[in-house]
Amino acid sequence: MSTDAIVILKDDHQQIRKLFREFRGAGEKATATATATKGKLATHIIEELNVHTYLENEVMYPEVRRLIPELEGDVLESYEEHHVADVLSMELYAMKPDAERFDAKMSVLIENVTHHMDEEEQQWFPKVRKGLGRSQLQEMGARMVELRKTAPRSPAQPSALKKVVDAVIA
Ligand SMILES: [Fe+2]
Ligand SMILES: [Fe+2]
């Protein structure tokens, strides 16, 4: 298994995209079964996003900022895009899937995150790969593999909450 940091993050993106497709495929109809399926998928999506964000925030973004200073603006924009997703995720996590605003909020989350992942894959990762050596990416990936084991999955966990609070008051 590769421990290249970019390969790991791209694999996460694929898994997240798959869940987004499943959510969209779960249907517009407000049947009890569709609603229950969407509720379960939303929880799964939010947990995957939470772990992925944690790995990027703890390893990828600070390391890139330190090692490739000219990408600082991109990193700061990423923090803000993740912050929007964090806020939506926290609201959705506390919401019942039959709530009036649930589907609309999920749509906005999916649109925002899809845009962010496309931007990372098409523009940002290539710049990072160019700026960092293979061994640096392997070393970062190995740290991510370790961190994933203890990463917060629920937005209600203290380390996840702290991140949102920090972004607001920093
Ligand atoms: Fe990201
Ligand atoms: Fe990402």
Side-chain angles (χ1 to χ4, degrees):
M1 197 186 86
S2 171
T3 64
D4 181 284
I6 291 174
V7 173
I8 290 173
L9 294 175
K10 275 189 180 172
D11 283 350
D12 277 4
H13 288 181
Q14 280 313 105
Q15 168 67 8
I16 290 163
R17 284 198 179 90
K18 182 172 158 276
L19 290 167
F20 285 174
R21 282 196 298 275
E22 285 178 30
F23 185 89
R24 286 198 159 129
E28 296 278 303
K29 289 201 203 91
T31 63
T33 326
T35 305
T37 304
K38 283 194 276 188
K40 273 197 202 114
L41 282 167
T43 301
H44 193 174
I45 285 169
I46 291 163
E47 290 176 351
E48 291 290 330
L49 286 177
N50 228 51
V51 171
H52 181 74
T53 297
Y54 186 77
L55 299 182
E56 290 190 337
N57 279 350
E58 292 296 313
V59 182
M60 189 64 156
Y61 294 146
E63 281 296 80
V64 168
R65 200 175 175 184
R66 186 171 70 84
L67 297 165
I68 323 176
E70 58 272 31
L71 293 188
E72 163 137 76
D74 291 343
V75 172
L76 290 174
E77 193 179 317
S78 287
Y79 282 145
E80 293 309 318
E81 290 183 347
H82 275 272
H83 175 60
V84 171
D86 286 343
V87 171
L88 293 170
S89 293
M90 286 186 69
E91 290 173 351
L92 281 158
Y93 211 70
M95 205 178 244
K96 293 228 163 35
D98 59 356
E100 186 185 47
R101 293 169 71 169
F102 182 82
D103 277 358
K105 212 179 272 292
M106 274 303 290
S107 290
V108 174
L109 177 71
I110 289 173
E111 280 165 19
N112 273 280
V113 172
T114 300
H115 160 83
H116 175 75
M117 293 191 303
D118 289 349
E119 218 168 59
E120 282 189 332
E121 289 181 18
Q122 287 155 25
Q123 294 159 35
W124 200 66
F125 289 159
K127 291 189 214 167
V128 171
R129 192 174 286 291
K130 222 174 139 205
L132 295 182
R134 192 169 168 274
S135 63
Q136 268 168 326
L137 286 168
Q138 295 277 342
E139 187 269 331
M140 282 159 62
R143 275 165 58 202
M144 286 180 189
V145 170
E146 271 311 299
L147 266 184
R148 192 189 291 279
K149 296 174 189 164
T150 53
R153 295 187 64 78
S154 137
Q157 276 171 261
S159 52
L161 268 174
K162 183 180 175 300
K163 188 171 59 143
V164 174
V165 173
D166 284 349
V168 173
I169 61 171

